[in-house]
Amino acid sequence: MLKRRSLSPLHIFQPLFWSWRSQAWPRELVYVKAKECSELLSVEDFAIILGKHFTTFYPHVTAALIKIVEKPWERVIIDGQPHNHGFKLGSEKHTTEVTVRKGGDLHVTSGIEGLALLKTTQSGFEGFIRDKYTLLPETRERILATEVSASWTYPFGCLSHIPVKPLYFTERYLGVKNLLTKTFFGPPNGGVYSPSVQSTLYFMAKDVLSRFLDIASIQLRMPNLHFLPVNLQSKDNPTMVKFNNDVYLPTDEPHGTIEATMNRAMSKM
Ligand SMILES: O=c1[nH]c(=O)c2[nH]c(=O)[nH]c2[nH]1
């Protein structure tokens, strides 16, 4: 049984939806299934348990789609010591979408929502196509900020192909998150130059597919969140309040959103 003091963030699930809409929502069933778990599970594994239940227990249910968002409650550190029952809510969320069909066919997608990243240099926008309407000058120096949404698919087509390793999906989620972050920033001292959001997104997706052979495809969505240099010029003194790496204007809108899906030509599994 879980004790309140030892409650792990991994047990604070928020199941959102399943496709079996014609029946009343048996919320208790989710609680019952959670209580039956004797050890920590990933949200993907819990979604699979629910999907298996609905497709085996009810003769008229042919498929179950389970979506879960895991909120990142993180243990707080007070004076350098992890608190034994204090948590604070982090930002990015671990998501999953699992479809289980009667007979055992399976489709598992995992993802990250709200991974906010910003670098203060080593970013530009250059080499883009120009036409008679293009006003934007090229630059090799700007702030690059975004909020990454990622989702990736696994090649396990049926329940019997899922790895038996405990917390396998959680480990993969943390690995993908770390690698996306590392590729975005580059090494801690020099970083890596980004000529565009498009280029950085491409390398982030490519690195994930190269590193994790059990990921079949990955979709990334990265809004280009602007921090514009502020120039305040007056007629009398045009240089008096020129931008000097000092004041930036964060603008929510308008902004472009760069999005791409990268697939492996053939799964290596
Ligand atoms: O990295 C960028 N990609 C764009 O497509 C774009 N468009 C824009 O105005 N600035 C940028 N930056």
Side-chain angles (χ1 to χ4, degrees):
M1 193 178 119
L2 288 169
K3 293 199 197 92
R4 189 137 58 110
R5 295 185 87 195
S6 65
L7 186 68
S8 153
L10 285 177
H11 278 95
I12 307 174
F13 298 128
Q14 202 180 3
L16 288 182
F17 169 80
W18 70 69
S19 62
W20 178 42
R21 291 177 212 203
S22 58
Q23 302 279 328
W25 164 267
R27 251 189 329 175
E28 287 71 15
L29 196 133
V30 177
Y31 304 147
V32 168
K33 287 288 159 193
K35 274 178 170 287
E36 283 174 7
C37 298
S38 54
E39 50 196 44
L40 276 184
L41 288 183
S42 63
V43 280
E44 289 85 352
D45 282 328
F46 189 58
I48 290 168
I49 287 175
L50 292 176
K52 268 169 41 181
H53 175 81
F54 290 119
T55 51
T56 51
F57 192 79
Y58 302 100
H60 61 298
V61 174
T62 55
L65 166 64
I66 316 286
K67 295 184 185 183
I68 300 181
V69 177
E70 183 179 12
K71 291 195 173 177
W73 288 102
E74 294 157 2
R75 196 176 292 280
V76 288
I77 311 280
I78 304 285
D79 296 335
Q81 200 186 332
H83 200 282
N84 87 342
H85 58 262
F87 291 83
K88 71 175 168 53
L89 189 57
S91 50
E92 68 275 3
K93 296 182 182 118
H94 177 178
T95 62
T96 189
E97 215 177 298
V98 170
T99 306
V100 181
R101 292 185 193 286
K102 230 188 219 354
D105 283 2
L106 177 75
H107 188 253
V108 183
T109 302
S110 301
I112 300 173
E113 285 296 327
L115 178 63
L117 304 177
L118 178 151
K119 59 182 192 166
T120 55
T121 189
Q122 286 283 53
S123 157
F125 187 43
E126 53 181 337
F128 50 88
I129 295 170
R130 306 196 72 85
D131 60 24
K132 64 181 180 181
Y133 304 109
T134 310
L135 296 173
L136 192 70
E138 298 204 350
T139 180
R140 286 188 60 82
E141 182 55 57
R142 67 172 183 176
I143 284 181
L144 177 55
T146 189
E147 198 173 293
V148 181
S149 304
S151 73
W152 55 93
T153 59
Y154 293 94
F156 321 122
C158 70
L159 287 166
S160 58
H161 289 171
I162 301 172
V164 282
K165 199 172 165 208
L167 294 178
Y168 160 82
F169 289 108
T170 304
E171 192 184 296
R172 191 55 77 249
Y173 167 77
L174 294 173
V176 171
K177 186 168 74 164
N178 285 342
L179 187 55
L180 290 174
T181 308
K182 189 171 162 192
T183 306
F184 180 87
F185 290 115
N189 287 328
V192 63
Y193 178 68
S194 159
S196 63
V197 177
Q198 284 86 337
S199 165
T200 297
L201 180 149
Y202 170 79
F203 285 111
M204 289 162 77
K206 184 167 174 280
D207 284 356
V208 168
L209 291 188
S210 308
R211 169 83 175 274
F212 300 113
L213 299 184
D214 53 359
I215 292 183
S217 71
I218 178 161
Q219 182 182 48
L220 290 176
R221 188 166 193 274
M222 292 170 49
N224 182 20
L225 303 175
H226 301 288
F227 285 75
L228 304 175
V230 171
N231 278 303
L232 295 177
Q233 288 163 337
S234 74
K235 252 196 276 165
D236 302 337
N237 191 346
T239 57
M240 187 177 65
V241 280
K242 213 168 163 28
F243 173 71
N244 186 25
N245 288 324
D246 45 9
V247 179
Y248 294 86
L249 174 66
T251 55
D252 265 359
E253 299 287 351
H255 65 250
T257 294
I258 320 300
E259 189 169 339
T261 303
M262 195 180 284
N263 289 288
R264 217 176 266 299
M266 253 207 338
S267 171
K268 299 205 173 125
M269 291 292 287

